[in-house]
Amino acid sequence: MNCIDYRRLITSEPAHAGTEAKAHRLSCQSCAAFAEQTAQFDARLKQAMSIKVPAGLESRVMLAATSQKTKAPWLAAAAAVLLVIGAGLFLFNSYTDEDLPGHVIEHLYHEAQLLVPTATELVPAPRLRQVLARTGVILNEEVQSVVHAGVCYFRGHLVSHLVVNSDNGPVTVLLLPDEKVDEATEIDEDGFRGVIMPVRGGSIAVIGSGSYPEKVERIFTRAVEWQT
Protein backbone atom coordinates (compact mmCIF):
# COMPACT_ATOMS: atom_id res chain seq x y z
CA MET A 1 0.00 0.00 0.00
CA ASN A 2 1.38 3.42 -0.96
CA CYS A 3 0.77 6.77 0.72
CA ILE A 4 -2.02 7.90 -1.63
CA ASP A 5 -3.95 4.64 -1.21
CA TYR A 6 -3.55 4.84 2.56
CA ARG A 7 -4.78 8.44 2.78
CA ARG A 8 -7.71 7.70 0.52
CA LEU A 9 -8.70 4.86 2.83
CA ILE A 10 -8.35 7.01 5.95
CA THR A 11 -10.50 9.81 4.51
CA SER A 12 -13.15 7.55 2.98
CA GLU A 13 -13.43 4.41 5.12
CA PRO A 14 -11.36 4.81 8.31
CA ALA A 15 -13.34 2.11 10.12
CA HIS A 16 -12.26 -0.46 7.53
CA ALA A 17 -8.50 0.02 7.74
CA GLY A 18 -7.06 -3.47 7.60
CA THR A 19 -3.73 -5.07 8.38
CA GLU A 20 -2.02 -3.65 5.30
CA ALA A 21 -3.09 -0.10 6.19
CA LYS A 22 -1.92 -0.49 9.78
CA ALA A 23 1.43 -1.80 8.60
CA HIS A 24 1.83 1.19 6.28
CA ARG A 25 1.04 3.62 9.08
CA LEU A 26 3.73 2.03 11.26
CA SER A 27 6.31 2.31 8.47
CA CYS A 28 5.46 5.83 7.22
CA GLN A 29 5.94 8.76 9.57
CA SER A 30 4.19 11.19 7.21
CA CYS A 31 1.04 9.07 6.92
CA ALA A 32 1.03 8.43 10.65
CA ALA A 33 1.02 12.18 11.24
CA PHE A 34 -1.73 12.63 8.63
CA ALA A 35 -3.88 9.96 10.31
CA GLU A 36 -3.34 11.55 13.72
CA GLN A 37 -4.32 15.00 12.43
CA THR A 38 -7.43 13.56 10.79
CA ALA A 39 -8.43 11.77 13.99
CA GLN A 40 -7.85 14.89 16.10
CA PHE A 41 -9.92 17.02 13.74
CA ASP A 42 -12.70 14.44 13.84
CA ALA A 43 -12.64 14.40 17.63
CA ARG A 44 -12.68 18.20 17.88
CA LEU A 45 -15.63 18.42 15.51
CA LYS A 46 -17.63 15.80 17.40
CA GLN A 47 -16.89 17.62 20.64
CA ALA A 48 -18.02 20.92 19.14
CA MET A 49 -21.23 19.32 17.93
CA SER A 50 -22.07 18.10 21.45
CA ILE A 51 -23.52 21.38 22.63
CA LYS A 52 -24.39 21.14 26.31
CA VAL A 53 -27.23 23.28 27.59
CA PRO A 54 -26.44 24.85 30.99
CA ALA A 55 -28.15 23.07 33.87
CA GLY A 56 -31.52 24.61 34.72
CA LEU A 57 -31.62 26.78 31.61
CA GLU A 58 -35.16 25.82 30.67
CA SER A 59 -36.36 26.33 34.24
CA ARG A 60 -34.80 29.78 34.38
CA VAL A 61 -36.36 30.75 31.06
CA MET A 62 -39.72 29.42 32.24
CA LEU A 63 -39.43 31.38 35.49
CA ALA A 64 -38.57 34.55 33.62
CA ALA A 65 -41.52 34.07 31.31
CA THR A 66 -44.01 33.36 34.09
CA SER A 67 -42.73 36.29 36.10
CA GLN A 68 -43.92 38.46 33.24
CA LYS A 69 -47.42 37.01 33.88
CA THR A 70 -47.55 35.68 30.37
CA LYS A 71 -50.73 33.94 29.34
CA ALA A 72 -48.79 31.60 27.05
CA PRO A 73 -46.44 29.40 29.13
CA TRP A 74 -45.44 27.50 26.02
CA LEU A 75 -43.49 30.60 24.99
CA ALA A 76 -40.99 29.84 27.75
CA ALA A 77 -40.29 26.35 26.44
CA ALA A 78 -40.08 27.73 22.93
CA ALA A 79 -37.58 30.33 24.13
CA ALA A 80 -35.42 27.62 25.67
CA VAL A 81 -35.43 25.68 22.41
CA LEU A 82 -34.50 28.82 20.49
CA LEU A 83 -31.57 29.42 22.83
CA VAL A 84 -30.23 25.94 22.14
CA ILE A 85 -30.72 26.32 18.41
CA GLY A 86 -29.08 29.74 18.56
CA ALA A 87 -26.01 28.26 20.24
CA GLY A 88 -25.69 25.74 17.44
CA LEU A 89 -26.16 28.34 14.75
CA PHE A 90 -23.55 30.57 16.33
CA LEU A 91 -21.07 27.71 16.32
CA PHE A 92 -21.59 26.49 12.76
CA ASN A 93 -22.87 29.51 10.85
CA SER A 94 -19.79 31.65 11.35
CA TYR A 95 -18.94 30.93 7.71
CA THR A 96 -20.10 33.21 4.91
CA ASP A 97 -20.82 32.70 1.23
CA GLU A 98 -18.05 35.17 0.42
CA ASP A 99 -15.52 32.91 2.16
CA LEU A 100 -16.64 29.79 0.33
CA PRO A 101 -14.32 29.94 -2.74
CA GLY A 102 -11.29 30.55 -0.52
CA HIS A 103 -12.23 27.66 1.74
CA VAL A 104 -12.58 25.39 -1.28
CA ILE A 105 -9.01 26.22 -2.34
CA GLU A 106 -7.76 25.70 1.22
CA HIS A 107 -9.42 22.30 1.27
CA LEU A 108 -7.71 21.33 -1.97
CA TYR A 109 -4.32 22.09 -0.42
CA HIS A 110 -5.31 20.15 2.71
CA GLU A 111 -5.97 17.16 0.44
CA ALA A 112 -2.91 17.87 -1.70
CA GLN A 113 -2.14 14.20 -2.22
CA LEU A 114 -5.27 13.97 -4.37
CA LEU A 115 -4.33 16.80 -6.73
CA VAL A 116 -2.10 14.51 -8.78
CA PRO A 117 -3.62 11.06 -8.32
CA THR A 118 -1.55 8.11 -9.46
CA ALA A 119 -4.41 5.62 -9.44
CA THR A 120 -5.96 4.79 -12.79
CA GLU A 121 -8.49 2.22 -11.58
CA LEU A 122 -12.02 3.62 -11.62
CA VAL A 123 -14.19 3.55 -8.52
CA PRO A 124 -16.89 0.88 -9.07
CA ALA A 125 -20.41 2.30 -9.29
CA PRO A 126 -21.71 0.41 -6.20
CA ARG A 127 -18.84 1.70 -4.05
CA LEU A 128 -19.30 5.24 -5.40
CA ARG A 129 -22.97 5.20 -4.45
CA GLN A 130 -22.12 3.77 -1.03
CA VAL A 131 -19.65 6.59 -0.33
CA LEU A 132 -22.03 9.27 -1.59
CA ALA A 133 -24.85 7.91 0.54
CA ARG A 134 -22.87 8.82 3.66
CA THR A 135 -23.52 12.49 2.87
CA GLY A 136 -27.05 11.97 1.53
CA VAL A 137 -26.07 12.24 -2.14
CA ILE A 138 -28.07 10.42 -4.79
CA LEU A 139 -27.23 10.20 -8.48
CA ASN A 140 -29.88 10.64 -11.14
CA GLU A 141 -27.54 9.04 -13.68
CA GLU A 142 -24.22 7.22 -13.80
CA VAL A 143 -21.03 9.28 -13.74
CA GLN A 144 -17.84 8.03 -15.31
CA SER A 145 -14.08 8.32 -14.74
CA VAL A 146 -14.16 8.70 -10.93
CA VAL A 147 -10.78 7.59 -9.57
CA HIS A 148 -11.29 8.67 -5.95
CA ALA A 149 -14.38 8.87 -3.76
CA GLY A 150 -14.10 9.78 -0.10
CA VAL A 151 -15.83 11.62 2.72
CA CYS A 152 -14.21 14.45 4.65
CA TYR A 153 -15.09 17.48 6.76
CA PHE A 154 -15.57 20.88 5.18
CA ARG A 155 -16.74 23.97 7.08
CA GLY A 156 -18.06 21.83 9.90
CA HIS A 157 -19.99 19.33 7.78
CA LEU A 158 -19.43 16.01 6.07
CA VAL A 159 -18.98 16.30 2.30
CA SER A 160 -18.15 13.92 -0.52
CA HIS A 161 -14.78 14.53 -2.17
CA LEU A 162 -14.32 13.06 -5.66
CA VAL A 163 -11.51 13.11 -8.19
CA VAL A 164 -12.50 12.61 -11.82
CA ASN A 165 -10.23 11.99 -14.77
CA SER A 166 -10.83 14.36 -17.68
CA ASP A 167 -9.19 15.19 -21.01
CA ASN A 168 -7.33 18.02 -19.25
CA GLY A 169 -6.20 16.12 -16.17
CA PRO A 170 -7.77 15.34 -12.79
CA VAL A 171 -10.76 17.40 -11.68
CA THR A 172 -11.80 17.78 -8.03
CA VAL A 173 -15.51 17.65 -7.22
CA LEU A 174 -16.81 18.61 -3.77
CA LEU A 175 -20.47 17.84 -3.10
CA LEU A 176 -21.66 20.36 -0.52
CA PRO A 177 -25.12 19.62 0.89
CA ASP A 178 -24.93 22.34 3.57
CA GLU A 179 -23.80 25.15 1.27
CA LYS A 180 -26.77 26.83 -0.39
CA VAL A 181 -25.56 29.35 -2.97
CA ASP A 182 -27.90 31.57 -4.97
CA GLU A 183 -25.90 31.63 -8.17
CA ALA A 184 -22.80 30.23 -9.82
CA THR A 185 -19.50 31.55 -8.45
CA GLU A 186 -16.34 31.16 -10.52
CA ILE A 187 -13.02 30.16 -8.96
CA ASP A 188 -9.77 31.38 -10.51
CA GLU A 189 -6.96 31.25 -7.96
CA ASP A 190 -3.46 29.78 -7.63
CA GLY A 191 -3.75 28.13 -11.03
CA PHE A 192 -7.08 26.50 -10.19
CA ARG A 193 -10.14 27.19 -12.30
CA GLY A 194 -13.66 26.07 -11.61
CA VAL A 195 -17.07 26.97 -10.31
CA ILE A 196 -19.38 26.55 -7.33
CA MET A 197 -22.83 25.73 -8.68
CA PRO A 198 -26.22 25.55 -6.94
CA VAL A 199 -27.88 22.15 -7.41
CA ARG A 200 -30.96 20.46 -5.98
CA GLY A 201 -30.49 20.38 -2.21
CA GLY A 202 -27.07 22.04 -1.98
CA SER A 203 -24.18 23.01 -4.21
CA ILE A 204 -21.15 21.51 -5.92
CA ALA A 205 -17.61 22.79 -6.41
CA VAL A 206 -15.86 21.60 -9.58
CA ILE A 207 -12.20 22.63 -9.87
CA GLY A 208 -9.54 21.80 -12.42
CA SER A 209 -5.92 22.80 -12.76
CA GLY A 210 -5.33 25.40 -15.46
CA SER A 211 -8.39 24.82 -17.63
CA TYR A 212 -12.06 25.26 -16.79
CA PRO A 213 -13.67 21.80 -16.27
CA GLU A 214 -16.89 22.64 -18.10
CA LYS A 215 -17.70 19.08 -19.18
CA VAL A 216 -17.36 17.67 -15.65
CA GLU A 217 -19.41 20.56 -14.29
CA ARG A 218 -22.29 19.78 -16.66
CA ILE A 219 -22.25 16.10 -15.76
CA PHE A 220 -22.43 16.60 -12.00
CA THR A 221 -24.85 19.51 -12.10
CA ARG A 222 -27.25 17.25 -13.95
CA ALA A 223 -26.60 14.06 -11.96
CA VAL A 224 -26.47 15.13 -8.31
CA GLU A 225 -29.12 15.86 -5.73
CA TRP A 226 -29.52 15.28 -2.00
CA GLN A 227 -32.01 13.14 -0.17
CA THR A 228 -34.55 15.18 1.78
PDB file of all heavy atoms in Angstrom, residues 169-192:
ATOM      1  N   GLY A 169      -6.787  16.479 -17.460  1.00  0.00           N
ATOM      2  CA  GLY A 169      -6.204  16.115 -16.171  1.00  0.00           C
ATOM      3  C   GLY A 169      -7.264  15.905 -15.103  1.00  0.00           C
ATOM      4  O   GLY A 169      -8.470  16.014 -15.363  1.00  0.00           O
ATOM      5  N   PRO A 170      -6.826  15.621 -13.876  1.00  0.00           N
ATOM      6  CA  PRO A 170      -7.774  15.340 -12.795  1.00  0.00           C
ATOM      7  C   PRO A 170      -8.580  16.571 -12.401  1.00  0.00           C
ATOM      8  O   PRO A 170      -8.077  17.685 -12.384  1.00  0.00           O
ATOM      9  CB  PRO A 170      -6.878  14.879 -11.644  1.00  0.00           C
ATOM     10  CG  PRO A 170      -5.537  15.471 -11.941  1.00  0.00           C
ATOM     11  CD  PRO A 170      -5.423  15.493 -13.436  1.00  0.00           C
ATOM     12  N   VAL A 171      -9.846  16.347 -12.110  1.00  0.00           N
ATOM     13  CA  VAL A 171     -10.760  17.405 -11.677  1.00  0.00           C
ATOM     14  C   VAL A 171     -11.302  17.036 -10.301  1.00  0.00           C
ATOM     15  O   VAL A 171     -11.724  15.902 -10.074  1.00  0.00           O
ATOM     16  CB  VAL A 171     -11.928  17.574 -12.668  1.00  0.00           C
ATOM     17  CG1 VAL A 171     -12.946  18.574 -12.138  1.00  0.00           C
ATOM     18  CG2 VAL A 171     -11.400  18.014 -14.030  1.00  0.00           C
ATOM     19  N   THR A 172     -11.266  17.990  -9.372  1.00  0.00           N
ATOM     20  CA  THR A 172     -11.804  17.775  -8.031  1.00  0.00           C
ATOM     21  C   THR A 172     -13.268  18.199  -7.997  1.00  0.00           C
ATOM     22  O   THR A 172     -13.629  19.262  -8.503  1.00  0.00           O
ATOM     23  CB  THR A 172     -11.014  18.597  -6.991  1.00  0.00           C
ATOM     24  OG1 THR A 172      -9.660  18.138  -6.965  1.00  0.00           O
ATOM     25  CG2 THR A 172     -11.611  18.426  -5.598  1.00  0.00           C
ATOM     26  N   VAL A 173     -14.087  17.355  -7.386  1.00  0.00           N
ATOM     27  CA  VAL A 173     -15.512  17.654  -7.224  1.00  0.00           C
ATOM     28  C   VAL A 173     -15.857  17.529  -5.751  1.00  0.00           C
ATOM     29  O   VAL A 173     -15.674  16.471  -5.149  1.00  0.00           O
ATOM     30  CB  VAL A 173     -16.388  16.693  -8.050  1.00  0.00           C
ATOM     31  CG1 VAL A 173     -17.873  17.025  -7.846  1.00  0.00           C
ATOM     32  CG2 VAL A 173     -16.024  16.749  -9.527  1.00  0.00           C
ATOM     33  N   LEU A 174     -16.333  18.622  -5.146  1.00  0.00           N
ATOM     34  CA  LEU A 174     -16.808  18.611  -3.769  1.00  0.00           C
ATOM     35  C   LEU A 174     -18.325  18.756  -3.795  1.00  0.00           C
ATOM     36  O   LEU A 174     -18.859  19.709  -4.368  1.00  0.00           O
ATOM     37  CB  LEU A 174     -16.197  19.763  -2.965  1.00  0.00           C
ATOM     38  CG  LEU A 174     -14.671  19.774  -2.810  1.00  0.00           C
ATOM     39  CD1 LEU A 174     -14.237  21.016  -2.036  1.00  0.00           C
ATOM     40  CD2 LEU A 174     -14.188  18.516  -2.103  1.00  0.00           C
ATOM     41  N   LEU A 175     -19.014  17.814  -3.165  1.00  0.00           N
ATOM     42  CA  LEU A 175     -20.472  17.838  -3.102  1.00  0.00           C
ATOM     43  C   LEU A 175     -20.862  18.393  -1.741  1.00  0.00           C
ATOM     44  O   LEU A 175     -20.605  17.770  -0.707  1.00  0.00           O
ATOM     45  CB  LEU A 175     -21.031  16.440  -3.318  1.00  0.00           C
ATOM     46  CG  LEU A 175     -20.531  15.745  -4.604  1.00  0.00           C
ATOM     47  CD1 LEU A 175     -21.118  14.348  -4.717  1.00  0.00           C
ATOM     48  CD2 LEU A 175     -20.875  16.563  -5.831  1.00  0.00           C
ATOM     49  N   LEU A 176     -21.478  19.567  -1.734  1.00  0.00           N
ATOM     50  CA  LEU A 176     -21.659  20.361  -0.520  1.00  0.00           C
ATOM     51  C   LEU A 176     -23.139  20.504  -0.166  1.00  0.00           C
ATOM     52  O   LEU A 176     -23.797  21.483  -0.547  1.00  0.00           O
ATOM     53  CB  LEU A 176     -21.030  21.749  -0.724  1.00  0.00           C
ATOM     54  CG  LEU A 176     -19.597  21.759  -1.286  1.00  0.00           C
ATOM     55  CD1 LEU A 176     -19.183  23.182  -1.645  1.00  0.00           C
ATOM     56  CD2 LEU A 176     -18.632  21.148  -0.285  1.00  0.00           C
ATOM     57  N   PRO A 177     -23.687  19.565   0.596  1.00  0.00           N
ATOM     58  CA  PRO A 177     -25.121  19.622   0.893  1.00  0.00           C
ATOM     59  C   PRO A 177     -25.525  20.772   1.808  1.00  0.00           C
ATOM     60  O   PRO A 177     -26.682  21.182   1.803  1.00  0.00           O
ATOM     61  CB  PRO A 177     -25.385  18.275   1.575  1.00  0.00           C
ATOM     62  CG  PRO A 177     -24.073  17.885   2.159  1.00  0.00           C
ATOM     63  CD  PRO A 177     -23.044  18.392   1.193  1.00  0.00           C
ATOM     64  N   ASP A 178     -24.597  21.290   2.594  1.00  0.00           N
ATOM     65  CA  ASP A 178     -24.927  22.337   3.569  1.00  0.00           C
ATOM     66  C   ASP A 178     -24.550  23.729   3.087  1.00  0.00           C
ATOM     67  O   ASP A 178     -24.614  24.686   3.860  1.00  0.00           O
ATOM     68  CB  ASP A 178     -24.240  22.036   4.902  1.00  0.00           C
ATOM     69  CG  ASP A 178     -24.746  20.743   5.510  1.00  0.00           C
ATOM     70  OD1 ASP A 178     -25.872  20.750   6.034  1.00  0.00           O
ATOM     71  OD2 ASP A 178     -24.035  19.728   5.433  1.00  0.00           O
ATOM     72  N   GLU A 179     -24.145  23.851   1.836  1.00  0.00           N
ATOM     73  CA  GLU A 179     -23.795  25.154   1.272  1.00  0.00           C
ATOM     74  C   GLU A 179     -24.826  25.510   0.205  1.00  0.00           C
ATOM     75  O   GLU A 179     -24.821  24.962  -0.885  1.00  0.00           O
ATOM     76  CB  GLU A 179     -22.389  25.129   0.666  1.00  0.00           C
ATOM     77  CG  GLU A 179     -21.289  24.712   1.631  1.00  0.00           C
ATOM     78  CD  GLU A 179     -21.050  25.724   2.743  1.00  0.00           C
ATOM     79  OE1 GLU A 179     -21.533  26.867   2.624  1.00  0.00           O
ATOM     80  OE2 GLU A 179     -20.408  25.363   3.730  1.00  0.00           O
ATOM     81  N   LYS A 180     -25.729  26.409   0.548  1.00  0.00           N
ATOM     82  CA  LYS A 180     -26.774  26.828  -0.391  1.00  0.00           C
ATOM     83  C   LYS A 180     -26.356  28.158  -1.018  1.00  0.00           C
ATOM     84  O   LYS A 180     -26.350  29.193  -0.360  1.00  0.00           O
ATOM     85  CB  LYS A 180     -28.111  26.992   0.336  1.00  0.00           C
ATOM     86  CG  LYS A 180     -28.536  25.779   1.173  1.00  0.00           C
ATOM     87  CD  LYS A 180     -28.796  24.568   0.317  1.00  0.00           C
ATOM     88  CE  LYS A 180     -29.530  23.463   1.088  1.00  0.00           C
ATOM     89  NZ  LYS A 180     -28.808  22.941   2.247  1.00  0.00           N
ATOM     90  N   VAL A 181     -25.959  28.126  -2.272  1.00  0.00           N
ATOM     91  CA  VAL A 181     -25.559  29.349  -2.968  1.00  0.00           C
ATOM     92  C   VAL A 181     -26.671  29.755  -3.927  1.00  0.00           C
ATOM     93  O   VAL A 181     -27.384  28.917  -4.479  1.00  0.00           O
ATOM     94  CB  VAL A 181     -24.232  29.164  -3.720  1.00  0.00           C
ATOM     95  CG1 VAL A 181     -23.100  28.859  -2.744  1.00  0.00           C
ATOM     96  CG2 VAL A 181     -24.333  28.046  -4.751  1.00  0.00           C
ATOM     97  N   ASP A 182     -26.821  31.055  -4.125  1.00  0.00           N
ATOM     98  CA  ASP A 182     -27.905  31.572  -4.965  1.00  0.00           C
ATOM     99  C   ASP A 182     -27.574  31.521  -6.451  1.00  0.00           C
ATOM    100  O   ASP A 182     -28.468  31.402  -7.294  1.00  0.00           O
ATOM    101  CB  ASP A 182     -28.238  33.012  -4.566  1.00  0.00           C
ATOM    102  CG  ASP A 182     -28.787  33.108  -3.156  1.00  0.00           C
ATOM    103  OD1 ASP A 182     -29.484  32.171  -2.730  1.00  0.00           O
ATOM    104  OD2 ASP A 182     -28.514  34.121  -2.479  1.00  0.00           O
ATOM    105  N   GLU A 183     -26.286  31.610  -6.769  1.00  0.00           N
ATOM    106  CA  GLU A 183     -25.897  31.628  -8.174  1.00  0.00           C
ATOM    107  C   GLU A 183     -24.492  31.070  -8.313  1.00  0.00           C
ATOM    108  O   GLU A 183     -23.765  30.893  -7.333  1.00  0.00           O
ATOM    109  CB  GLU A 183     -25.940  33.055  -8.726  1.00  0.00           C
ATOM    110  CG  GLU A 183     -25.058  34.025  -7.969  1.00  0.00           C
ATOM    111  CD  GLU A 183     -25.218  35.451  -8.444  1.00  0.00           C
ATOM    112  OE1 GLU A 183     -26.169  35.736  -9.196  1.00  0.00           O
ATOM    113  OE2 GLU A 183     -24.378  36.289  -8.064  1.00  0.00           O
ATOM    114  N   ALA A 184     -24.122  30.789  -9.552  1.00  0.00           N
ATOM    115  CA  ALA A 184     -22.796  30.228  -9.822  1.00  0.00           C
ATOM    116  C   ALA A 184     -21.704  31.227  -9.451  1.00  0.00           C
ATOM    117  O   ALA A 184     -21.827  32.423  -9.722  1.00  0.00           O
ATOM    118  CB  ALA A 184     -22.686  29.844 -11.293  1.00  0.00           C
ATOM    119  N   THR A 185     -20.643  30.718  -8.823  1.00  0.00           N
ATOM    120  CA  THR A 185     -19.501  31.545  -8.447  1.00  0.00           C
ATOM    121  C   THR A 185     -18.237  30.934  -9.042  1.00  0.00           C
ATOM    122  O   THR A 185     -17.897  29.783  -8.745  1.00  0.00           O
ATOM    123  CB  THR A 185     -19.350  31.625  -6.912  1.00  0.00           C
ATOM    124  OG1 THR A 185     -20.547  32.154  -6.348  1.00  0.00           O
ATOM    125  CG2 THR A 185     -18.167  32.500  -6.533  1.00  0.00           C
ATOM    126  N   GLU A 186     -17.556  31.674  -9.893  1.00  0.00           N
ATOM    127  CA  GLU A 186     -16.343  31.156 -10.521  1.00  0.00           C
ATOM    128  C   GLU A 186     -15.163  31.204  -9.564  1.00  0.00           C
ATOM    129  O   GLU A 186     -15.073  32.081  -8.709  1.00  0.00           O
ATOM    130  CB  GLU A 186     -16.020  31.940 -11.799  1.00  0.00           C
ATOM    131  CG  GLU A 186     -17.012  31.697 -12.929  1.00  0.00           C
ATOM    132  CD  GLU A 186     -16.502  32.231 -14.252  1.00  0.00           C
ATOM    133  OE1 GLU A 186     -15.320  32.636 -14.320  1.00  0.00           O
ATOM    134  OE2 GLU A 186     -17.289  32.241 -15.216  1.00  0.00           O
ATOM    135  N   ILE A 187     -14.268  30.228  -9.728  1.00  0.00           N
ATOM    136  CA  ILE A 187     -13.022  30.162  -8.964  1.00  0.00           C
ATOM    137  C   ILE A 187     -11.867  30.278  -9.939  1.00  0.00           C
ATOM    138  O   ILE A 187     -11.801  29.548 -10.929  1.00  0.00           O
ATOM    139  CB  ILE A 187     -12.925  28.842  -8.182  1.00  0.00           C
ATOM    140  CG1 ILE A 187     -13.997  28.776  -7.096  1.00  0.00           C
ATOM    141  CG2 ILE A 187     -11.537  28.669  -7.566  1.00  0.00           C
ATOM    142  CD1 ILE A 187     -14.011  27.461  -6.329  1.00  0.00           C
ATOM    143  N   ASP A 188     -10.971  31.201  -9.693  1.00  0.00           N
ATOM    144  CA  ASP A 188      -9.775  31.377 -10.515  1.00  0.00           C
ATOM    145  C   ASP A 188      -8.668  31.854  -9.588  1.00  0.00           C
ATOM    146  O   ASP A 188      -8.465  33.059  -9.399  1.00  0.00           O
ATOM    147  CB  ASP A 188     -10.032  32.377 -11.643  1.00  0.00           C
ATOM    148  CG  ASP A 188      -8.894  32.413 -12.656  1.00  0.00           C
ATOM    149  OD1 ASP A 188      -7.852  31.770 -12.399  1.00  0.00           O
ATOM    150  OD2 ASP A 188      -9.044  33.083 -13.696  1.00  0.00           O
ATOM    151  N   GLU A 189      -7.940  30.914  -8.994  1.00  0.00           N
ATOM    152  CA  GLU A 189      -6.960  31.253  -7.964  1.00  0.00           C
ATOM    153  C   GLU A 189      -5.850  30.207  -7.920  1.00  0.00           C
ATOM    154  O   GLU A 189      -6.117  29.001  -7.999  1.00  0.00           O
ATOM    155  CB  GLU A 189      -7.658  31.334  -6.598  1.00  0.00           C
ATOM    156  CG  GLU A 189      -6.757  31.760  -5.455  1.00  0.00           C
ATOM    157  CD  GLU A 189      -7.508  31.891  -4.145  1.00  0.00           C
ATOM    158  OE1 GLU A 189      -8.744  32.012  -4.175  1.00  0.00           O
ATOM    159  OE2 GLU A 189      -6.857  31.864  -3.099  1.00  0.00           O
ATOM    160  N   ASP A 190      -4.617  30.672  -7.786  1.00  0.00           N
ATOM    161  CA  ASP A 190      -3.460  29.782  -7.628  1.00  0.00           C
ATOM    162  C   ASP A 190      -3.378  28.730  -8.732  1.00  0.00           C
ATOM    163  O   ASP A 190      -2.923  27.605  -8.504  1.00  0.00           O
ATOM    164  CB  ASP A 190      -3.507  29.071  -6.276  1.00  0.00           C
ATOM    165  CG  ASP A 190      -3.300  30.015  -5.111  1.00  0.00           C
ATOM    166  OD1 ASP A 190      -2.963  31.195  -5.356  1.00  0.00           O
ATOM    167  OD2 ASP A 190      -3.482  29.603  -3.956  1.00  0.00           O
ATOM    168  N   GLY A 191      -3.816  29.082  -9.939  1.00  0.00           N
ATOM    169  CA  GLY A 191      -3.752  28.129 -11.035  1.00  0.00           C
ATOM    170  C   GLY A 191      -4.949  27.197 -11.116  1.00  0.00           C
ATOM    171  O   GLY A 191      -5.042  26.383 -12.038  1.00  0.00           O
ATOM    172  N   PHE A 192      -5.866  27.307 -10.167  1.00  0.00           N
ATOM    173  CA  PHE A 192      -7.081  26.498 -10.189  1.00  0.00           C
ATOM    174  C   PHE A 192      -8.210  27.278 -10.865  1.00  0.00           C
ATOM    175  O   PHE A 192      -8.371  28.469 -10.627  1.00  0.00           O
ATOM    176  CB  PHE A 192      -7.518  26.125  -8.769  1.00  0.00           C
ATOM    177  CG  PHE A 192      -6.554  25.235  -8.044  1.00  0.00           C
ATOM    178  CD1 PHE A 192      -5.810  25.731  -6.979  1.00  0.00           C
ATOM    179  CD2 PHE A 192      -6.388  23.911  -8.417  1.00  0.00           C
ATOM    180  CE1 PHE A 192      -4.922  24.921  -6.313  1.00  0.00           C
ATOM    181  CE2 PHE A 192      -5.497  23.091  -7.746  1.00  0.00           C
ATOM    182  CZ  PHE A 192      -4.760  23.594  -6.690  1.00  0.00           C
TER     183      PHE A 192
END
